[in-house]
Amino acid sequence: MTQFQTSTITQRDIISPELYAVRVAGHVENDAAEALVEFMRAAFNRHDEKIDMRLDLTAFTGNDWDSLFDGDVIISASAP
């Protein structure tokens, strides 16, 4: 499984190939949010069935408000 990492988002090692786990630490900026969207889109494209995503937000301190309303982020949340 490809490891995903930005300055604030790190993919965690998980045994199941259908489970994607990431740890979010610190303040998430637009670039990191968009990179995660692209990574998860690729994950959806690799799997015929649903995938699971586990988020560790224990060290999350905030984000750029406009990243929440970015069209790509909203679309990825509703991806099959």
Side-chain angles (χ1 to χ4, degrees):
M1 182 185 302
T2 303
Q3 282 296 112
F4 173 81
Q5 184 166 352
T6 69
S7 59
T8 54
I9 304 170
T10 305
Q11 183 181 2
R12 310 301 281 191
D13 290 331
I14 297 292
I15 295 172
S16 170
E18 293 83 22
L19 176 61
Y20 290 80
V22 295
R23 181 172 193 266
V24 180
H27 181 87
V28 178
E29 296 182 356
N30 288 341
D31 290 344
E34 288 178 13
L36 180 60
V37 166
E38 290 304 315
F39 177 74
M40 291 309 301
R41 275 190 181 156
F44 285 121
N45 289 335
R46 282 192 300 275
H47 297 278
D48 293 330
E49 298 295 322
K50 292 181 180 181
I51 61 172
D52 294 314
M53 186 171 184
R54 181 177 295 166
L55 297 173
D56 174 356
L57 300 174
T58 57
F60 174 65
T61 60
N63 63 300
D64 293 343
W65 279 103
D66 55 341
S67 69
L68 286 176
F69 301 106
D70 181 88
D72 287 340
V73 173
I74 293 168
I75 290 169
S76 71
S78 62

